[in-house]
Amino acid sequence: MAEDSRLTKTMTGAQDDPALRDELSVFGLSDTEIDTYLALLSLGEAPTRAVAEEADVTQRAVYGIAERLERRGLVRVKEHASPTTISALPPKEAIANLSSRLEALTPSLEERFEQTTTEAPEIQIIKSRETVLKRLRNALSEAETEALVAIPDHVYPEIEAELRAAVDRGVLVFLLLGETVDPDDDTRDFTGVADVVRSWDASIPFLYTVDNEAAMIGDPHVLSMQHNDKEAVTISQPHLTSSVLGMYLSAYWPVSTIRHVTEPDSLPASYDWFREAVLQAFLHWEAGHDFWADIVTESGAELSGKVSDVRQAFVEPSTNDFTLETSLHLETDDGEVSVGGPGAFIEDYRAEAVTLRFE
């Protein structure tokens, strides 16, 4: 392919070439993985210490990065050598490996494309504050797995009961409050209202998304008490809802202030919603617990292993390498594997169900 040829040629360029780094990131490589891979292209075969110095990462990190690069078909790790050495595969061979993985997705993607209909997405414009508030309350009351809500702080008392009821039903709830007078005020108790609450003193667009199936987004002042001409738009197409959710989690969520984080669940605990499993795994990880995960994947394969890493940006500190990365890493009998949720394409597996447990 022309893209492959162009990238193969540029892979012999300088390590700081921004165009080269951008093209490698398209294949899902993080900044540290790109640094390490480019270092290996310059060094040829080298021990881990030399790679660490060239890439400006820790030697310990090099081992994990090398394993991930090897799984992508970019490098070869000689673990039986003393010391362990790593070498980059020839660029043409590496690009061929990446291309084959992308081409393997073609049948599934084409099948999904052919199943789409010509029906227009169900989108409605709403101008009434009462209707917007009623839709929000109904959405929270009908939520089964997850709800993300972003509202002006003054609206919070009007939906607090629905938020509590959703949490009581086991719904994963993320709440973002805008226009807060004091975003650092820690005297308010949000226990039982949401799993994670964040706030910001700025005005933010009003939003809710529920179960990745329905969403509403609008001007922040659509919920103002006084009459105005502001609007909100409802969306009932899953792919559009996911896009709206992703925009908020990447643009508004990280810059707000943490106000409340739920306590870790007692283990063992099982989860059908992957983001909830990742959040709970991170809470146990931060608490210093050693714990294991049993995962049923989309393909039906079953994975079990000690949780070795959790990538997320729901709570601080963020541990993801790139925007919206949400994954679990397990130490299995076959080595470390990465697991993402539905639609994941960088991780090794996609999870259907997750059970977290102590050994």
Side-chain angles (χ1 to χ4, degrees), residues 202-278:
S203 179
I204 57 175
F206 157 70
L207 166 89
Y208 73 73
T209 68
V210 171
D211 299 339
N212 263 9
E213 294 179 355
M216 180 183 289
I217 185 170
D219 188 280
H221 301 297
V222 72
L223 289 169
S224 296
M225 293 298 182
Q226 68 271 22
H227 177 75
N228 59 64
D229 59 354
K230 305 305 180 183
E231 300 175 343
V233 176
T234 63
I235 302 169
S236 59
Q237 292 291 322
H239 67 284
L240 294 178
T241 299
S242 296
S243 298
V244 171
L245 176 67
M247 178 192 71
Y248 260 74
L249 288 178
S250 60
Y252 297 102
W253 193 257
V255 298
S256 56
T257 301
I258 286 282
R259 302 292 297 276
H260 168 76
V261 178
T262 188
E263 294 294 322
D265 290 344
S266 298
L267 299 185
S270 297
Y271 307 94
D272 293 327
W273 196 251
F274 188 69
R275 278 192 284 268
E276 185 174 18
V278 171

Side-chain angles (χ1 to χ4, degrees), residues 19 34 102 106 108 130 150 172 181 184 211 248 316 331 342 345:
I34 292 173
L102 291 174
T106 301
S108 297
E130 291 73 18
L172 175 66
V181 176
D184 296 319
D211 299 339
Y248 260 74
E316 298 172 357
E331 295 176 357
F345 62 93

Side-chain angles (χ1 to χ4, degrees), residues 115-122 237 239-240:
Q115 290 174 350
T116 59
T117 68
T118 59
E119 296 179 5
E122 185 180 344
Q237 292 291 322
H239 67 284
L240 294 178

Side-chain angles (χ1 to χ4, degrees), residues 37-53:
Y37 180 52
L38 294 179
L40 283 164
L41 286 174
S42 301
L43 293 172
E45 184 172 334
T48 55
R49 181 181 296 276
V51 177
E53 292 176 355

Side-chain angles (χ1 to χ4, degrees), residues 328-354:
L328 298 175
H329 292 237
L330 308 184
E331 295 176 357
T332 71
D333 293 339
D334 297 323
E336 187 179 61
V337 298
S338 59
V339 184
F345 62 93
I346 293 175
E347 289 76 14
D348 301 317
Y349 297 92
R350 298 176 186 171
E352 283 274 337
V354 178

Side-chain angles (χ1 to χ4, degrees), residues 147-160:
L148 170 67
V149 178
I151 53 173
D153 199 350
H154 67 81
V155 179
Y156 168 69
E158 299 186 68
I159 64 165
E160 181 179 356

